[in-house]
Amino acid sequence: MACMHMHAAHYCSMLICIPHLRVIIMTTKTATVINLVNTALGAGMLALPFAFKSQGIVLAISNILFCGMLTVVGLLLQVYISGFIAPGEASFFKACKITYPSLAVVFDLAIALKCFGVCVSYLVIAGELMPLVTSYFGYETTRFTWILLSMIIVTPFSFHKSLSSLKTISIIALSSVVYLLVVVIFHFFIGDTISQRGEISIWHAENAASVISTTPIIVFAFTCAQNMFSSINEMQDRTVKGYRQVIISSIAISATVYVTIGLTGYLSFGNNVGDNIISMYAPRFTTTLGRFAIVLLVLFSYPLMFHPARVSIENIVNSFMLHATTDEHSLLLAHEYHSQKLHMTITVVALILSFLLALTLKSLNLILSFVGATGATSVSFILPGIFAYTLASTDLENDLVTLNHRQKSLLRFVSFFLFIVGLILAIMAISVNIYRISH
């Protein structure tokens, strides 16, 4: 084991000596907030009014705020963890290497599967909604056509190596979120859904099972931890204050959007609301444009999910290459191969595979409820919690934060609490999904 650490350290030192092999494009705090918010805001927010129906208004809002605060804690713990890793190199893989090195590949595989599964679901959503959009204008199109066109659109953006280069498409995607928000609020205030509205539940939830089954929706809605390490690596302001401002701003914006869409959507339809708010409105130009906005959102979110999936796969491949040889010259050639060819190969194979899966699987709801719920809790709560707890228990030097003994004890308590909460949520999500399958 010690020999492995020596080789890993030597490998990392070689990379530092060859700066042209790894180029970090620095980005501003504003661009980082845009990327994190766009990573969090996704198609899952369409189901938030349904969560309000299941939990009641008060509990649903409380749950959104609670999950948002837990997400802030998890992201701040990632900042703390990054202080133990060389600047520009922070990742879940590297964090695992200095805490539980034997499980690094397993953790990265979980992240890759989670993010890749979401990418496939985005293509499925585009394939289902776009034929409805075109049919409103009198043109009949097929699911295959729009999945293929969607792949053509997302492919150029999926080759980017840094999140900072995705700022423009993040702004476009966020514009789609703003439009969806306007549509939901507009219909609420004009009251054209009163005839469809059921009873309104302010305090009372449907039942315990409903609360458990819809809580993962809220947890998943806040998930942006998979891109946090990349954001840390690329930020110009590499200070705890700068990172804290970005994290709080991103989650505050996301929480505001979620409460607004969830509340106004639920108040529009009451307990008659379905699990996709945009499908509840009568066919008209504004709602058709809203469906198109959702398609834009998922397509331009695709690269932001594809990026961490590819990074995790590259980490796994590099790990096997590192174990395969200990010769310095071979390690250098391996990294050159990674920079020049491996990135391209993984990108092409993953794009083709996501396209084929989207064509084959017409409904990913149940699959993604497993992958998403467990993946979201793992990335947001479980991994940051256990990594931070372990590192806070060591005497390793942190380049970002200096803590005294009392502060370390508090950090360990918070980290362990986050780990336990994530574990409980994951178990509940799996149990509910198994129940759904069996019934």
Side-chain angles (χ1 to χ4, degrees), residues 19 77 100 241 294 411 435 438:
L77 289 182
Y100 303 97
K241 180 180 179 181
I294 293 300
L411 180 64
Y435 177 83
S438 60

Side-chain angles (χ1 to χ4, degrees), residues 33 52 62 117 123 183 215 219 260 281 304 335 377 397 401 408:
V33 169
F52 274 71
S62 301
L123 295 178
V183 168
T215 295
V219 175
T260 304
Y281 300 105
L304 291 173
H335 184 71
T377 54
E397 182 179 353
V401 184
K408 278 193 172 184

